[in-house]
Amino acid sequence: MTAPRIDINCDMGESFGAWDKGDDAEMLKIVSSANVACGFHAGDPDTMAKTFVLARDRNVAVGAHPGFADLMGFGRRRIPYSATEIERLVAYQIGAAQAMAQYVGHPITHVKAHGALGNLAQEDKEVARAVCNAIKAVDPALICLAIALGEQHQIATEMGLTVVSEIFADRAYGDDGLLVPRSLQGAVIHDPEEAALRVGEMVREGAIITLSGKRIPTAIDSICVHGDTAEAVPIAATVRAGLEKQGYAIANFIH
């Protein structure tokens, strides 16, 4: 019998100039998909190229990780762009990722919105549609990696894009199915064992499990581990080991 497959993705390529962020080389030994920053919230051409090369050499699928133009806030502040402005800033960043990925011979396969932009796309139909419009206009073959249960997942499906549903290993959920704001206690999970047990339970039950213990059924195709925390690599490794122990094969969603 063929083992069921699940993807583990990570946001990376988030160093900038002389400032290092995240251990991408170690993370790429664990994950099956990488979402690479495109220069607006983090990243630069050199970092993008290096990250794509590392991913290529480890056979890890790569995608664009567009965010708000917010280097100071790491893309985690909500900026009141219009829908048209969001479409254009996402399209611009997808183009940058495509160019650098093509440059190293490892083309991107998906797009995942970063930080505040991704959270808005989860809950705001106008923002979700703007992100999806940009993906479809630039390359409708690109996969939309969307937060489970969010508006973007629904709108991308309606627009005919291929959609992959993700949950987060290192973030807590509220009973509304949305991520708990980072400003609140318990929003970010730092314990690798806790993260792995939680992911295993959610995958096994096919549901998001909230802080209160509520179960919200959803498709789960990919598990995200953020690459910018001190515990990122051990969390990813422990989550992977736990899923493999449950009988899952870790594989990106393009195969």
Side-chain angles (χ1 to χ4, degrees), residues 165-176:
S165 181
E166 74 166 346
I167 63 168
F168 292 85
D170 50 10
R171 292 295 308 280
Y173 290 89
D175 283 351
D176 55 4

Side-chain angles (χ1 to χ4, degrees), residues 88-233:
R88 290 171 179 167
L89 70 86
V90 171
Y92 183 96
Q93 291 175 79
I94 294 172
Q98 284 183 317
M100 296 310 299
Q102 191 67 38
Y103 170 76
V104 305
H106 192 43
I108 67 168
T109 58
H110 67 274
V111 177
K112 173 187 169 180
H114 166 81
L117 178 60
N119 292 339
L120 279 170
Q122 182 189 16
E123 58 191 79
D124 185 309
K125 288 184 178 180
E126 186 176 28
V127 173
R129 190 170 299 280
V131 174
C132 292
N133 282 343
I135 296 171
K136 189 166 185 176
V138 174
D139 185 352
L142 290 171
I143 295 166
C144 177
L145 180 54
I147 299 174
L149 300 173
E151 295 289 352
Q152 186 183 6
H153 192 287
Q154 180 63 34
I155 288 171
T157 302
E158 292 171 357
M159 291 176 61
L161 294 171
T162 301
V163 191
V164 169
S165 181
E166 74 166 346
I167 63 168
F168 292 85
D170 50 10
R171 292 295 308 280
Y173 290 89
D175 283 351
D176 55 4
L178 301 178
L179 294 173
V180 174
R182 286 178 176 268
S183 58
L184 299 181
Q185 187 173 4
V188 180
I189 297 165
H190 299 283
D191 184 338
E193 292 295 337
E194 179 187 352
L197 288 170
R198 181 171 163 275
V199 167
E201 193 173 5
M202 287 196 285
V203 170
R204 188 164 53 249
E205 296 191 22
I208 282 172
I209 301 175
T210 72
L211 277 176
S212 72
K214 179 180 178 181
R215 269 65 172 166
I216 308 175
T218 182
I220 299 174
D221 306 306
S222 184
I223 314 297
C224 175
V225 177
H226 289 96
D228 61 298
T229 64
E231 308 84 6
V233 171

